[in-house]
Amino acid sequence: MRLGLDGRVAIVTGAGSGIGASVARALALEGSAIVAADLHEDGIEPPADCAGRWLAVPGDVATPSGAERVVDIAVETFGRVDVLVACAGVYETGTLEDVDEKVWDRVHDVNLRGSYLCARAAIAEMAKRGYGRVILFSSIAAQTGGGVAAGPAYVAAKAGIIGLTRSLAQKAGPLGITVNCVAPGVIDTPMTEVMGPEVKQDVVSKVPMRRTGSPDDVAFVVAMLASEPAGYLSGTHLDVNGGLHMT
Ligand code: NAP
């Protein structure tokens, strides 16, 4: 079965690092034009053979103007938006006592509000053509409470994304647009470097697949959700955690 991503226009936020970089590459290799958005331009590297269908857009997608700008640039450059992957995120390891309010706000601004702002702007464009695929990023932390690693601001923001996914799926479904989210487990990216080797080793011992995930493990699932044949899958969250949930 073909994914039907050839010739599509995809926005990927957080494309300068980790999972977002892998997703942008995977969709580009399937033939999509990519608008790769991240805070900074360095690191937003296109794969080979993507000349004319890869655009790096630096900026903050957690503000209304930043989110709208990315969608506007996609339309100006490639004519439309078919896929949004809202991968930009920031992590937080605070305890009950020490979650600074500024940290709380930033974590919610980027993870939850930013996902909403990008989805709102993208869905308005997708609705004009009656087609779209929106993929948001939750986390296993939303379901486990974060364990010894993630703090309450991050856990709450990622849990909010599951509710946001369901709400947007209900509202955008009649417009021909699916909305889903993925909930990765522990994936090897700069974000999880703060966990340190001992915590990671402990996690690995509990993962049935006995390893941490790679960004490509997640990119594969995102590509499936972004694909044309996935048109009857909406409002879900998909765990990509090597089976960790069951232990
Ligand atoms: P990462 O390597 O840290 O990449 C996140 C990217 O998002 C970074 O390039 C970051 O830029 C960018 N970003 C942050 N705030 C932004 C903003 N306001 N506007 C535009 N770009 C922004 O993290 P990752 O591990 O790939 O995570 C990707 C997504 O998966 C996140 O939503 C994360 O919460 C989620 N997730 C990850 C894991 C995991 O184990 N890695 C597990 C569950 C969920 P800077 O580096 O400059 O800040």
Side-chain angles (χ1 to χ4, degrees):
M1 183 181 286
R2 291 177 189 276
L3 294 183
L5 287 165
D6 196 12
R8 294 286 181 197
V9 178
I11 294 172
V12 182
T13 73
S17 176
I19 298 169
S22 192
V23 168
R25 244 186 344 261
L27 299 184
L29 291 173
E30 288 295 325
S32 297
I34 304 296
V35 174
D38 205 287
L39 275 180
H40 311 105
E41 202 160 357
D42 17 312
I44 317 182
E45 300 294 340
D49 302 330
C50 287
R53 51 184 186 88
W54 180 283
L55 189 67
V57 180
D60 186 347
V61 297
T63 63
S65 59
E68 281 158 22
R69 181 171 160 267
V70 172
V71 172
D72 288 348
I73 288 175
V75 175
E76 279 160 25
T77 312
F78 298 119
R80 62 183 197 281
V81 178
D82 300 307
V83 176
L84 167 71
V85 183
C87 196
V90 288
Y91 190 61
E92 168 267 330
T93 56
T95 62
L96 186 59
E97 299 80 21
D98 74 0
V99 182
D100 182 281
E101 277 176 38
K102 280 196 185 134
V103 172
W104 177 279
D105 288 346
R106 186 64 187 156
V107 167
H108 278 250
D109 280 354
V110 177
N111 290 291
L112 185 53
R113 187 167 176 263
S115 298
Y116 169 66
L117 293 172
C118 290
R120 184 177 70 178
I123 286 170
E125 233 359 272
M126 292 167 175
K128 294 178 187 168
R129 283 157 201 87
Y131 179 91
R133 301 279 181 265
V134 175
I135 296 103
L136 307 182
F137 267 74
S138 180
S139 166
I140 190 171
Q143 296 155 81
T144 62
V148 292
Y154 184 79
V155 170
K158 291 303 188 185
I161 286 186
I162 295 174
L164 177 64
T165 299
R166 291 180 182 157
S167 171
L168 294 179
Q170 286 178 352
K171 289 171 173 53
L175 306 171
I177 299 161
T178 65
V179 185
N180 294 287
C181 69
V182 288
V186 178
I187 311 298
D188 286 319
T189 71
M191 184 175 279
T192 51
E193 274 168 20
V194 291
M195 289 172 74
E198 274 177 30
V199 175
K200 268 199 181 176
Q201 205 39 55
D202 182 53
V203 172
V204 165
S205 71
K206 296 184 176 106
V207 176
M209 299 311 296
R210 293 291 184 268
R211 64 174 177 88
T212 48
S214 72
D216 283 351
D217 286 325
V218 185
F220 167 74
V221 175
V222 171
M224 184 276 288
L225 290 171
S227 73
E228 201 176 312
Y232 206 56
L233 183 58
S234 196
T236 63
H237 81 268
L238 283 187
D239 297 319
V240 190
N241 60 29
L244 181 57
H245 246 331
M246 299 182 293
T247 58

